[in-house]
Amino acid sequence: MIKIENLRKVYSDNGYEALKSINLEMNEGELVCLLGPSGCGKTTILNLLAGLLDPTSGDIKFDNDSVINKHPKDRNIGLVFQNYALYPHMTVLQNVMFPLTVGKNKVSKQEAETRAKKYMEITNILELADKKPGNMSGGQQQRVAITRALVQNPKVLLLDEPLSNLDARLRLRIREEIRRLVKEIGITTIFVTHDQEEALSISDRIVIMDSGIVQQFDIPQNLYLEPANLFVAKFMGNPIINLFTAEKNGNNLTTKDFSINLNLLTKDRFKGELNKGKYIVGIRPEYFVLSQSPLFNVAIESVELIGKDAILNFNISGEHVKSITDINEKIQENQTVGFDIDYSKIYIFNEDGTRVY
Ligand code: ATP
């Protein structure tokens, strides 16, 4: 189990506070993604876990033992970066064996070879044993890098954007392979990515970060369905959630062109009182529904077909809106359509981004 307690990191060269106060607990064998925009602090956390950086304050525990004062070599961690870092003059087998031939993990050459081959079988690279990295595809090189990390039998596997050098198709395949592999071995894995789809598809749980702060740590579906705040609601989802500024007057939440009757909302989804004032209403594209007794009528500006769905673009309340409809509705450009919304699925945020519904 990994426990991160009040972890703070200020880079001494420029005084930048990259991590504010991070608290996280990850379970044995769990696959956790660190997700967030560039600069939010993902790599800083990974480097602190690996011992490549020292924290300004706070603690990191593996199985209840603090590792803060432990040298990286003594933390029993496998690290894989995006740029493979394989030795070009060595064969695949030699690359994978290497960590077992030096330092405190050193074993006999014969044992190193046996262990290397055992892992190479699991990761499906045995047939590449005699090849040099230069003659292999990116996907194959990444598989070798991961095998080289696993052969040391680490307690924790840390992967920093391991797929970003691969083309889209290969990314998809290798990410499935990584999940299968780490689950098969049962190793606790932390995977850094800025790609929400990648995180959603492989994680047991996801940490979403922004500006050195954990915004939400949850199972993938909750990040989409129950975002903790406006940042998470905006970060998760493609097309992005539609947002409207609104004012509460009496029992209505009024945007420029339409009003939401608060009596229609689901009572137990309220997280607090809605006082008079300004709010931000979030409506995901799929929660606009075509209706015969609509909340508003609009002219559709353009239609984008994506498989079985159609994205309808229109303007309402000063916002450019995307809604998703079944392609069978056969909505055309310039057609006027009536929309209602799914009141049980919308979100309401305070102006500071905290969620109230
Ligand atoms: P990316 O996805 O771009 O790799 P990240 O989420 O991994 O981003 P970090 O690399 O952890 O972000 O960086 C967090 C913040 O700390 C950034 O604003 C970055 O500019 C800053 N930072 C990182 N390394 C240093 C350093 N050595 N000295 C000063 N500031 C740094």
Side-chain angles (χ1 to χ4, degrees):
M1 198 240 287
I2 301 174
K3 211 169 177 180
I4 297 177
E5 294 174 343
N6 305 319
L7 194 65
R8 213 175 142 244
K9 176 66 189 175
V10 178
Y11 283 104
S12 49
D13 41 347
N14 58 1
Y16 185 76
E17 191 178 22
L19 298 179
K20 306 244 158 79
S21 178
I22 305 289
N23 287 286
L24 293 168
E25 265 189 55
M26 298 161 192
N27 301 322
E28 189 85 43
E30 196 172 21
L31 201 176
V32 171
C33 268
L34 300 182
L35 175 67
S38 183
C40 70
K42 307 179 292 286
T43 300
T44 303
I45 293 194
L46 214 67
N47 286 338
L48 287 166
L49 284 165
L52 302 175
L53 278 177
D54 290 325
T56 306
S57 56
D59 205 354
I60 298 173
K61 290 175 178 159
F62 292 172
D63 292 337
N64 285 323
D65 286 334
S66 176
V67 293
I68 288 296
N69 295 318
K70 279 195 177 166
H71 191 271
K73 283 205 181 76
D74 299 325
R75 292 194 185 192
N76 207 0
I77 264 177
L79 253 181
V80 179
F81 296 101
Q82 59 177 276
N83 59 353
Y84 327 125
L86 299 173
Y87 300 110
H89 60 284
M90 293 184 185
T91 64
V92 165
L93 179 62
Q94 288 165 340
N95 262 287
V96 175
M97 283 170 61
F98 184 75
L100 303 175
T101 59
V102 291
K104 77 173 190 23
N105 284 329
K106 192 169 168 167
V107 293
S108 73
K109 195 166 169 271
Q110 199 181 5
E111 176 163 3
E113 186 168 333
T114 309
R115 263 213 251 168
K117 285 186 167 162
K118 184 183 121 197
Y119 278 94
M120 287 164 70
E121 199 172 344
I122 302 174
T123 53
N124 236 330
I125 54 167
L126 252 187
E127 71 271 26
L128 303 175
D130 300 325
K131 279 199 167 187
K132 297 252 173 82
N135 301 328
M136 298 185 322
S137 71
Q140 290 171 329
Q141 289 187 55
Q142 192 53 287
R143 235 178 279 162
V144 176
I146 291 171
T147 317
R148 189 180 55 180
L150 289 172
V151 80
Q152 301 163 76
N153 196 18
K155 179 128 198 60
V156 181
L157 181 64
L158 303 178
L159 304 163
D160 194 356
E161 303 252 4
L163 308 179
S164 49
N165 287 344
L166 308 180
D167 70 54
R169 259 194 110 189
L170 200 56
R171 281 180 86 119
L172 240 105
R173 214 182 71 214
I174 303 274
R175 78 190 188 200
E176 278 165 22
E177 265 179 31
I178 289 179
R179 178 162 174 97
R180 181 188 51 79
L181 191 66
V182 300
K183 286 289 153 186
E184 197 173 308
I185 297 172
I187 185 171
T188 310
T189 302
I190 302 178
F191 187 113
V192 166
T193 179
H194 59 264
D195 180 341
Q196 54 155 303
E197 207 188 296
E198 193 160 285
L200 285 171
S201 68
I202 67 164
S203 312
D204 293 319
R205 284 193 295 167
I206 298 173
V207 180
I208 292 204
M209 300 188 52
D210 184 39
S211 310
I213 295 172
V214 172
Q215 304 290 324
Q216 190 166 356
F217 181 25
D218 217 327
I219 56 171
Q221 49 270 50
N222 279 359
L223 294 176
Y224 187 80
L225 296 174
E226 294 299 340
N229 56 36
L230 183 59
F231 176 84
V232 178
K234 277 161 75 173
F235 196 79
M236 305 306 291
N238 186 17
I240 186 172
I241 189 167
N242 301 292
L243 299 171
F244 303 92
T245 51
E247 185 128 18
K248 184 178 179 253
N249 290 309
N251 239 355
N252 285 309
L253 208 48
T254 309
T255 74
K256 198 159 143 266
D257 295 334
F258 65 93
S259 271
I260 295 169
N261 180 346
L262 294 174
N263 292 330
L264 297 175
L265 301 186
T266 309
K267 298 268 171 307
D268 58 8
R269 289 189 75 223
F270 280 97
K271 299 181 185 303
E273 282 275 303
L274 247 68
N275 299 316
K276 196 169 166 22
K278 290 205 169 139
Y279 292 92
I280 298 159
V281 176
I283 308 175
R284 292 207 185 275
E286 59 274 33
Y287 300 137
F288 284 103
V289 283
L290 297 171
S291 170
Q292 301 298 333
S293 51
L295 190 62
F296 58 81
N297 289 297
V298 281
I300 299 301
E301 276 189 355
S302 62
V303 180
E304 305 162 50
L305 300 182
I306 43 162
K308 68 174 185 31
D309 293 320
I311 298 177
L312 311 179
N313 293 281
F314 57 89
N315 285 295
I316 188 95
S317 293
E319 302 295 336
H320 180 79
V321 173
K322 284 182 186 289
S323 75
I324 293 181
T325 326
D326 193 305
I327 194 170
N328 290 307
E329 298 285 354
K330 300 200 171 78
I331 308 284
Q332 309 281 328
E333 225 170 87
N334 298 324
Q335 189 178 335
T336 296
V337 295
F339 281 111
D340 205 346
I341 52 179
D342 185 338
Y343 294 92
S344 66
K345 303 271 174 53
I346 66 168
Y347 309 106
I348 303 170
F349 304 96
N350 282 313
E351 280 187 298
D352 68 1
T354 51
R355 194 174 142 198
V356 283
Y357 177 83

